[in-house]
Amino acid sequence: MGEFSVYLWQGGDFVLYTRSGQKFTVKHRQSLHSNGVNEVYVQSSERPQYEQYIERNLGTILLDETLPIKLRSKVFYEASTVVMQDVFDRKLPTALRARHFNRIAEIVKSSIKFLASDESLSTVAPFISHDYKTYSHCMHVFIYSVAVFQTYDMTDNDIFECALGALLHDVGKAKIPRRILNKRGSLTTGERAVIKEHPVHGVSMCAHLPMTQNTINCILFHHEKLDGSGYPAGLKGDNIPMPVRIISMSDVYDALTTERPYAEAMLPYEALTLMRHDMREALDMNVFKRFVAVLSGADMI
């Protein structure tokens, strides 16, 4: 560390443990654990330095099996939130900045292996918010999609490219007026048409970035349906790539199970029942079975 001071809470007050510029070692951590100290604190003024440190070292932290899995899950979710919120809460220009894209790509690269097991998925689950925000929705779709990708015979590179597409699938919503995105009640025909532009906006915002076709497909086609009723291209059946079908499944499930301006959150079982009975022509039911199996394996149903 060395970039921020670390404090302990003792006797009703904060006590300096290591100061900025002093190295916080594994021995420090082991000493704290052996003395029953499970939490340390950072001054709010040094929070940016702390967040930058976590972001730079996320991959190492997530794969460090000496750290409790629940702690690593918390670090993953909080670090990802910082990056995604930073991207979406800013007034984005017509294009996604390369700096933001690189940060998102690093989040994907750092967390794919960590999210590969039911154990990590189940420990991340409690952090998943049921209050809909675009940046948190993108994170949830990414988490669910990566878990399902792992059940298919996909190469590591394909998983990375499609996971990147999952995390960026709704980036085009940054160009949709918030009065429409956050509207309570039904959208007008015109407002619905504006919402449907977000996949195309997303691809145009990323046109200057080093994206593969896999990633572009995930952003552009995540609202396509097997029966051809989706948008923007009205693709049908096998014309929709398998990773896109997985992202679509995750997208629908997360939307149904989070509180939105126009609808209350459903319980997982209610959402899955609706998807199975009312959306079976639009969604891939073979993907659905794997999706349910992944959620069940992580005790998320």
Side-chain angles (χ1 to χ4, degrees):
M1 291 188 187
E3 301 157 11
F4 46 87
S5 299
V6 174
Y7 293 81
L8 307 181
W9 179 257
Q10 292 183 338
D13 201 0
F14 291 107
V15 178
L16 180 66
Y17 184 64
T18 57
R19 66 178 68 253
S20 177
Q22 181 181 352
K23 192 169 183 180
F24 186 98
T25 65
V26 173
K27 284 187 177 180
H28 282 106
R29 193 181 77 210
Q30 291 172 340
S31 175
L32 291 175
H33 275 296
S34 65
N35 285 286
V37 178
N38 296 316
E39 292 183 330
V40 296
Y41 300 85
V42 175
Q43 286 185 332
S44 57
S45 61
E46 293 185 326
R47 181 169 180 166
Q49 292 96 308
Y50 165 77
E51 290 175 346
Q52 289 165 16
Y53 169 84
I54 294 295
E55 189 177 328
R56 285 199 308 271
N57 295 278
L58 184 61
T60 301
I61 293 169
L62 294 183
L63 297 180
D64 184 353
E65 295 187 357
T66 66
L67 297 174
I69 185 80
K70 289 183 179 179
L71 175 60
R72 286 181 280 153
S73 294
K74 184 178 181 180
V75 169
F76 156 72
Y77 197 86
E78 290 180 350
S80 302
T81 298
V82 167
V83 173
M84 297 304 291
Q85 192 168 5
D86 191 33
V87 171
F88 278 98
D89 280 2
R90 292 175 182 270
K91 182 64 178 175
L92 286 175
T94 55
L96 181 64
R97 296 184 192 277
R99 180 172 65 86
H100 289 318
F101 172 76
N102 290 336
R103 293 174 70 198
I104 291 169
E106 282 301 317
I107 288 287
V108 173
K109 192 180 300 181
S110 298
S111 56
I112 283 177
K113 285 186 179 179
F114 175 70
L115 292 172
S117 71
D118 289 343
E119 185 183 13
S120 63
L121 188 60
S122 62
T123 53
V124 167
F127 299 105
I128 292 179
S129 167
H130 297 291
D131 180 22
Y132 185 95
K133 293 182 177 66
T134 301
Y135 68 85
S136 58
H137 168 67
C138 286
M139 285 171 52
H140 302 165
V141 170
F142 163 69
I143 291 166
Y144 295 136
S145 297
V146 168
V148 180
F149 290 160
Q150 302 285 352
T151 71
Y152 284 85
D153 187 22
M154 294 174 64
T155 66
D156 290 346
N157 198 55
D158 283 347
I159 289 177
F160 168 76
E161 292 171 1
C162 296
L164 183 59
L167 195 53
L168 284 169
H169 79 281
D170 266 352
V171 69
K173 284 187 176 176
K175 295 186 73 172
I176 305 298
R178 292 199 177 186
R179 62 177 176 79
I180 297 179
L181 281 179
N182 300 326
K183 182 180 177 179
R184 294 187 175 276
S186 301
L187 297 174
T188 66
T189 302
E191 288 168 340
R192 197 170 290 109
V194 171
I195 287 278
K196 287 184 175 182
E197 293 172 358
H198 77 268
V200 175
H201 286 320
V203 171
S204 69
M205 289 173 67
C206 299
H208 64 296
L209 297 168
M211 283 186 180
T212 65
Q213 194 61 50
N214 273 338
T215 305
I216 292 169
N217 285 346
C218 295
I219 297 172
L220 185 59
F221 298 135
H222 68 274
H223 279 292
E224 300 290 354
K225 307 297 181 189
L226 288 190
D227 60 5
S229 64
Y231 62 88
L235 298 181
K236 293 181 68 173
D238 292 341
N239 289 323
I240 304 173
M242 180 59 69
V244 175
R245 300 184 209 179
I246 295 168
I247 292 172
S248 298
M249 189 77 61
S250 304
D251 185 32
V252 170
Y253 176 78
D254 189 66
L256 291 174
T257 54
T258 49
E259 196 82 26
R260 292 165 289 167
Y262 53 88
E264 293 184 359
M266 289 184 174
L267 295 172
Y269 176 78
E270 295 173 332
L272 293 170
T273 300
L274 177 69
M275 292 165 70
R276 184 174 70 245
H277 293 303
D278 295 3
M279 302 181 187
R280 62 182 308 109
E281 302 302 321
L283 300 173
D284 186 326
M285 286 296 106
N286 290 320
V287 171
F288 177 80
K289 291 174 185 176
R290 294 199 186 212
F291 187 80
V292 172
V294 164
L295 295 184
S296 297
D299 294 323
M300 295 177 73
I301 299 178

